[in-house]
Amino acid sequence: MAKGPQKNTRNKALHTKLLNRKKAKVQDEKRERAAQLKAIVTKMNQQKKSNELDTP
């Protein structure tokens, strides 16, 4: 058996779980923001097209 203090794997596991949650949350926020920006761009493009059609 190795000499030295026993490793605390329980805290490492909890820390890893916490970091994975944090990473997942950040990824979800990025996807949500990208979807919102895409919707805004689509809406602006539609308005632009409708304005072009209205003006002769």
Side-chain angles (χ1 to χ4, degrees), residues 20-30:
N20 287 341
R21 281 190 201 163
K22 186 176 179 181
K23 287 179 186 177
K25 182 180 177 182
V26 169
Q27 288 297 323
D28 288 342
E29 288 173 352
K30 282 185 179 180

Side-chain angles (χ1 to χ4, degrees), residues 12-50:
K12 286 184 180 180
L14 291 175
H15 185 69
T16 302
K17 186 176 179 181
L18 178 67
L19 288 180
N20 287 341
R21 281 190 201 163
K22 186 176 179 181
K23 287 179 186 177
K25 182 180 177 182
V26 169
Q27 288 297 323
D28 288 342
E29 288 173 352
K30 282 185 179 180
R31 282 190 213 108
E32 198 173 305
R33 178 144 175 85
Q36 288 174 344
L37 289 173
K38 191 172 184 178
I40 290 171
V41 168
T42 304
K43 184 177 177 182
M44 293 303 294
N45 285 339
Q46 287 176 349
Q47 287 179 353
K48 188 176 179 181
K49 284 182 183 179
S50 68

